[in-house]
Amino acid sequence: MSRLWLVIILCLASHTAFADKKVYRWKDDKGNWVYSDTPKKGATEVKINTHFLTMPATDTSVLGSGTQDQSKQQYKASIIAPNHKQTLRDNTGSVYVSGQITPRFAKDFTVQLFLDGKPTGPKQHTITFALRNVERGEHSLQLMVFDSKGNVVTKSDETIFYLHKARANQ
């Protein structure tokens, strides 16, 4: 069924590009509808009304080839999880951190997460982190984004979180 819609859309697109072209349809030997600009025996012409086929303008700049000069773009890094001043409860000290880079994260960029001002590990190409054995208490997180030469492109604001662990009474 999705193939049928794809064919219809392609036919509509070709019809708008070449208004004098005609579209024909017929059933193949398996009972599927076939659309073409070349008529076959038993094909009927499809009347297409293109007056209602308008699409709103869409910003496609994020779909670019990535060949733009990255040094001229203003990048922004942020931590989206945990939330600022969020209290986490985990007796193992596990904290899962997710970041966001806008505009699109360039493939030669690397990211490093800092916990309380110290790197949590080496630079990496993804913006998700799993921290283990974090001590209870207040902590700060910050993301730093680096270009291929190791220069800081941007860094996030600090995000504060509180880790609570259950403690056995003595």
Side-chain angles (χ1 to χ4, degrees):
M1 189 64 165
S2 63
R3 189 182 316 169
L4 174 65
W5 283 111
L6 177 63
V7 170
I8 290 171
I9 290 170
L10 289 174
C11 290
L12 292 175
S14 67
H15 182 72
T16 58
F18 307 102
D20 59 333
K21 295 277 186 173
K22 294 182 180 181
V23 176
Y24 303 92
R25 83 172 184 167
W26 66 91
K27 283 196 177 184
D28 66 7
D29 55 345
K30 295 181 181 176
N32 297 317
W33 285 108
V34 177
Y35 291 83
S36 176
D37 61 351
T38 307
K40 298 247 182 188
K41 185 175 180 178
T44 58
E45 185 179 339
V46 177
K47 299 291 183 191
I48 301 174
N49 186 354
T50 60
H51 297 291
F52 301 107
L53 299 175
T54 58
M55 293 183 65
T58 303
D59 179 16
T60 58
S61 62
V62 298
L63 303 175
S65 63
T67 58
Q68 298 174 347
D69 186 3
Q70 296 168 352
S71 63
K72 294 181 182 178
Q73 291 191 21
Q74 293 294 325
Y75 288 90
K76 183 176 182 343
S78 57
I79 295 173
I80 56 175
N83 293 325
H84 185 61
K85 295 197 175 182
Q86 181 177 358
T87 298
L88 305 175
R89 290 174 174 79
D90 189 298
N91 291 335
T92 66
S94 296
V95 177
Y96 301 95
V97 180
S98 296
Q100 182 177 26
I101 312 293
T102 53
R104 191 174 82 179
F105 186 52
K107 69 178 183 179
D108 60 339
F109 282 2
T110 54
V111 180
Q112 193 167 34
L113 179 67
F114 291 80
L115 174 68
D116 300 326
K118 298 178 184 138
T120 60
K123 296 174 187 173
Q124 62 184 46
H125 293 281
T126 60
I127 51 177
T128 56
F129 304 85
L131 306 178
R132 304 285 185 235
N133 300 316
V134 177
E135 295 295 322
R136 65 185 303 139
E138 179 181 318
H139 298 281
S140 67
L141 294 169
Q142 188 173 39
L143 285 176
M144 293 185 92
V145 180
F146 300 89
D147 64 14
S148 60
K149 297 175 184 170
N151 301 317
V152 175
V153 174
T154 188
K155 59 184 176 180
S156 70
D157 293 335
E158 279 192 350
T159 296
I160 304 294
F161 73 93
Y162 307 98
L163 183 62
H164 286 203
K165 293 182 181 181
R167 179 166 55 175
N169 291 334
Q170 296 179 354

